[in-house]
């Protein structure tokens, strides 16, 4: 019914940049917020950044000043521009969307995850 499709992960050297994209599709009535989480091996999933329907943003302290979240409302797509990457940013990055879905109401949706690996 609703799909979140991520792209843009990969392998990069420390100090490099990557841009993640997540496109939401399906019977979406409206989007409340979209964001990115990450999970490193042996660690819990953590919030990286979120952007609301009004454009407000929130970042984890560990990425503030290095990562930028943005949205293209016409495309139901959220982006995460990651600069000055560090080895500790290595993780699987998951897209999350708080959506109002036609016929289903409000719910939380997750993408399949995309691997980001930063080499030292």
């Amino acid at each position: 019914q609703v799909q979140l499709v991520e792209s843009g992960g990969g392998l990069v050297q420390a100090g490099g940049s990557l841009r993640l994209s997540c496109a939401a599709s399906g019977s979406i009535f409206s989007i409340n917020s979209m964001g990115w989480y990450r999970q490193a091996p042996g660690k819990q999933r953590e919030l990286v950044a979120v952007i609301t329907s009004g454009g407000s943003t929130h970042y984890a302290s560990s990425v503030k000043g290095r990562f930028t979240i943005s949205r293209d409302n016409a495309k139901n797509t959220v982006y995460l521009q990651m600069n000055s990457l560090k080895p500790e940013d290595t993780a699987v990055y998951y897209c999350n969307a708080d959506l109002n879905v036609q016929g289903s109401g409000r719910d939380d949706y997750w993408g399949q995850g995309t691997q980001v690996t930063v080499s030292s």
Side-chain angles (χ1 to χ4, degrees):
Q1 190 175 12
V2 172
Q3 271 194 320
L4 300 183
V5 179
E6 301 147 340
S7 61
L11 173 65
V12 65
Q13 287 189 332
S17 299
L18 283 173
R19 188 191 194 211
L20 305 182
S21 300
C22 172
S25 63
S27 304
I28 299 169
F29 180 72
S30 62
I31 298 175
N32 299 306
S33 66
M34 294 185 76
W36 292 92
Y37 289 69
R38 68 186 181 187
Q39 188 167 18
K43 295 189 177 181
Q44 288 191 331
R45 190 174 297 190
E46 62 176 1
L47 173 69
V48 176
V50 63
I51 184 166
T52 70
S53 58
S56 298
T57 57
H58 173 76
Y59 296 92
S61 57
S62 58
V63 306
K64 201 171 293 185
R66 301 187 297 121
F67 291 10
T68 303
I69 190 169
S70 61
R71 271 173 65 170
D72 184 333
N73 291 330
K75 296 181 179 180
N76 287 344
T77 299
V78 65
Y79 305 96
L80 185 68
Q81 178 65 44
M82 304 185 293
N83 298 329
S84 303
L85 282 160
K86 304 175 181 180
E88 50 263 43
D89 293 318
T90 295
V92 178
Y93 283 69
Y94 295 91
C95 177
N96 172 268
D98 178 358
L99 306 175
N100 296 311
V101 177
Q102 295 175 6
S104 299
R106 184 173 183 173
D107 209 343
D108 222 26
Y109 294 86
W110 293 90
Q112 78 282 1
T114 185
Q115 177 70 46
V116 171
T117 302
V118 185
S119 63
S120 56

